[in-house]
Amino acid sequence: MAVYAAAAAVLAGVETRQGSIKGLVYASRFQNVKQLYALVCETQRYSAVLDAVIASAGLLRAEKKLRPHLAKVLVYELLLGRGFKGGAGRWKPVLDRHQARLKAELARLKVRRGVSRNEDLLDSGCKPGPASQVPRFVRVNTLKTCADDVIDYFKRQGFSYQGRASSLEELRVLKGKSFLLDPLLSELLVFPAQTDLHEHPLYQAGHLILQDKASCLPAMLLAPTPGSHVIDACAAPGNKTSHLAALLKNQGKIFAFDLDAKRLASMATLLARAGVSCCELAEKDFLAVSPSDQQYCQVQYILLDPSCSGSGMLTRQLEEPGAGVPSKERLQALAGFQQRALCHALTFPALQRLVYSTCSLCQEENEDVVRDALQQCQGSFRLAPVLPSWPHRGLSTFQGAEHCLRATPETTVTGGFFVAVFERVEAPSSVLVTEALPLPEPRPSPVPKRKRRRRKDAATPNTLPCT
Ligand code: SAM
């Protein structure tokens, strides 16, 4: 163990600029200077490769007590060095447990980079891509707290609050213990990419929802008014449902459907933790939900976030850059379902507004589905021209596609995503719609739980640009 621990200490010292490798190796008083020096230099040389493999194998997430520098040295020895010949101490069985996954991740990395030898990985560009620069977005659950209180809590914990961001670049370069308020969403905090808040007490208590910014767009753009009836057609695991409930202030009703019993079970836990009380969960095929059922006669809003290829998902981009392209057959099957679900949703009689979203970047699941649905509904719905300042628009494959929103790590510093907002062209004659439709742009923060102080950086969200 001694040599690995000593190497980890040297690496940490180099990173914090306490000295050069040579100086720190000599200062370590480790007897076999040559062995230690070689181990540190080799680990350092493969640093980016090791980071990529350790991240995609989820080693540090699984082994919380294993410090990153020691992990790097041990994984170097296991995969690229001479293997453990004793000396790894209590970490040997731990590394043994992860060995198969680590080896598989190294092999996948080589395949992706089109190389066969380990050394060739050094020239093949293991630099962090834009996906790894996407920050950790944290939505404040306004059913339980408010942004000001959460900001104060983090400040008391030693985090440094930088105010409301005014550009996307500020999000990309966040470091250390700094955090910001998102320039577009007033209840969204932004932390550096590596921040892990899964164990944080505010997350555990349901005050925070760990949700990518792009995935906050659907509920925000649907903007149901408190008291209204909403369908969440493909709802589990429920992050967007809890966002809808927060916008409704728990007043009104959400009918949430999903086919998958397991996902619904974890959704029920998530909603209970988030304090959601206005939602009815049902294990049901949305295509079998009848629009003429009296239960749904007041449904003015539908959120449709159906199963998709997930080709825009960050985890996929981080683990398999460029490998997220699904087969033609799979795309066809997914698009077929998405198309049917969208056309079905548009037949609900009182429907005024619908948001269609996917975490896919494929045109077949996005613009093509939207275009066909618009054609089939024969002019009764149109695309709402939402968020005019959003920098990435739908692919111009049909007239009006620019009203759709796209998101990618490169353009919006978020996961890959697609959103289209449908609005009814005329109110149906059989339904009396008394409420004015809300604006598609973001609304001011809901009423906070305690008297709100004016934030230095507070601004009207409607006037803020999103870049
Ligand atoms: N909106 C969810 C959220 O924000 O947490 C994510 C939804 S996920 C992309 C798609 C969901 O659709 C899956 O949970 C899947 O089980 C569900 N699903 C697939 N086919 C369905 C159907 N015919 N009816 C209802 N749900 C369906």
Side-chain angles (χ1 to χ4, degrees):
M1 181 66 192
V3 67
Y4 301 122
V10 172
L11 284 173
V14 171
E15 202 169 90
T16 51
R17 297 170 193 261
Q18 289 168 26
S20 65
I21 293 184
K22 222 177 219 166
L24 290 169
V25 164
Y26 278 110
S28 74
R29 302 201 180 168
F30 186 75
Q31 261 192 339
N32 191 338
V33 170
K34 226 169 143 187
Q35 183 198 10
L36 179 59
Y37 185 72
L39 180 60
V40 172
C41 288
E42 282 306 280
T43 307
Q44 186 79 317
R45 206 155 72 92
Y46 280 96
S47 183
V49 174
L50 293 164
D51 282 342
V53 170
I54 289 169
S56 44
L59 179 65
L60 296 176
R61 240 174 301 133
E63 302 298 341
K64 297 247 165 11
K65 290 191 175 149
L66 180 56
R67 307 315 308 154
H69 293 104
L70 183 57
K72 210 183 253 191
V73 177
L74 293 171
V75 174
Y76 166 79
E77 189 71 303
L78 179 71
L79 299 183
L80 308 165
R82 293 176 302 178
F84 300 125
K85 303 218 177 2
R90 67 187 174 108
W91 292 110
K92 165 97 169 61
V94 174
L95 269 285
D96 282 346
R97 262 204 316 275
H98 292 274
Q99 182 169 0
R101 178 80 198 268
L102 288 162
K103 284 188 169 161
E105 291 302 340
L106 178 66
R108 284 166 67 178
L109 192 63
K110 285 200 242 175
V111 171
R112 285 202 304 270
R113 301 198 184 273
V115 301
S116 54
R117 296 177 318 153
N118 293 337
E119 307 88 86
D120 297 334
L121 279 172
L122 294 172
D123 307 317
S124 65
C126 268
K127 295 198 185 76
S132 64
Q133 291 165 15
V134 172
R136 157 63 67 199
F137 290 102
V138 178
R139 180 167 63 77
V140 174
N141 178 11
T142 53
L143 291 177
K144 289 208 155 178
T145 183
C146 63
D148 282 341
D149 286 358
V150 173
I151 289 168
D152 285 347
Y153 192 104
F154 277 107
K155 287 203 300 206
R156 284 198 302 275
Q157 284 201 316
F159 283 85
S160 157
Y161 178 55
Q162 309 287 305
R164 192 165 200 160
S166 54
S167 75
L168 291 182
E169 203 43 41
E170 282 178 56
L171 311 192
R172 217 189 289 274
V173 299
L174 260 185
K175 289 235 159 47
K177 288 196 99 182
S178 302
F179 71 110
L180 292 159
L181 197 60
D182 183 75
L184 178 67
L185 286 102
S186 53
E187 310 299 342
L188 195 66
L189 300 177
V190 194
F191 290 82
Q194 302 72 21
T195 314
D196 186 354
L197 296 173
H198 287 92
E199 307 295 330
H200 195 280
L202 289 185
Y203 169 70
Q204 300 279 343
H207 290 217
L208 304 178
I209 313 284
L210 305 182
Q211 187 173 358
D212 184 54
K213 175 175 173 175
S215 126
C216 295
L217 293 178
M220 182 193 97
L221 293 171
L222 190 63
T225 45
S228 56
H229 286 195
V230 183
I231 283 181
D232 191 345
C234 296
N239 274 343
K240 296 183 192 76
T241 321
S242 89
H243 194 184
L244 288 171
L247 295 172
L248 289 173
K249 299 179 183 161
N250 260 339
Q251 295 159 26
K253 194 169 235 176
I254 303 173
F255 300 97
F257 304 107
D258 205 284
L259 273 180
D260 188 318
K262 261 198 190 156
R263 284 165 74 93
L264 276 174
S266 43
M267 175 165 176
T269 311
L270 183 149
L271 294 188
R273 192 164 64 177
V276 173
S277 59
C278 63
C279 181
E280 242 177 52
L281 280 184
E283 185 184 335
K284 224 171 177 177
D285 178 353
F286 173 61
L287 295 174
V289 175
S290 169
S292 56
D293 188 324
Q294 277 305 296
Q295 284 190 79
Y296 313 123
C297 67
Q298 293 179 56
V299 169
Q300 292 187 335
Y301 303 92
I302 295 184
L303 194 153
L304 175 62
D305 183 43
S307 296
C308 70
S309 63
S311 56
M313 280 170 72
L314 268 185
T315 42
R316 201 163 289 194
Q317 295 193 18
L318 282 170
E319 290 174 11
E320 296 177 74
V325 187
S327 71
K328 216 172 164 188
E329 294 71 31
R330 180 159 155 69
L331 269 183
Q332 255 175 8
L334 285 166
F337 166 66
Q338 292 153 353
Q339 180 67 49
R340 283 198 300 283
L342 181 51
C343 289
H344 181 64
L346 291 173
T347 62
F348 279 71
L351 182 69
Q352 288 298 309
R353 197 171 176 83
L354 176 147
V355 169
Y356 173 78
S357 62
T358 72
C359 55
S360 162
L361 296 175
C362 302
Q363 182 190 321
E364 293 87 337
E365 299 178 271
N366 297 327
E367 287 86 355
D368 291 0
V369 169
V370 168
R371 180 202 56 208
D372 291 356
L374 284 169
Q375 272 168 10
Q376 281 190 38
C377 74
Q378 298 174 338
S380 47
F381 285 87
R382 66 179 164 222
L383 289 180
V386 291
L387 296 182
S389 54
W390 187 259
H392 194 170
R393 318 299 302 187
L395 304 174
S396 29
T397 54
F398 65 92
Q399 209 180 359
E402 70 278 6
H403 297 321
C404 303
L405 308 179
R406 277 181 165 258
T408 62
E410 294 82 359
T411 56
T412 54
V413 202
T414 63
F417 214 77
F418 175 87
V419 189
V421 183
F422 289 72
E423 61 186 9
R424 192 179 283 280
V425 173
E426 285 169 87
S429 54
S430 57
V431 179
L432 188 63
V433 180
T434 50
E435 273 171 337
L437 276 177
L439 285 171
E441 291 280 342
R443 296 138 16 116
S445 316
V447 181
K449 291 283 164 283
R450 91 176 190 208
K451 198 168 179 297
R452 187 159 228 159
R453 291 187 306 276
R454 197 171 159 71
R455 267 202 304 268
K456 219 173 44 214
D457 50 284
T460 313
N462 269 337
T463 63
L464 279 167
C466 66
T467 50

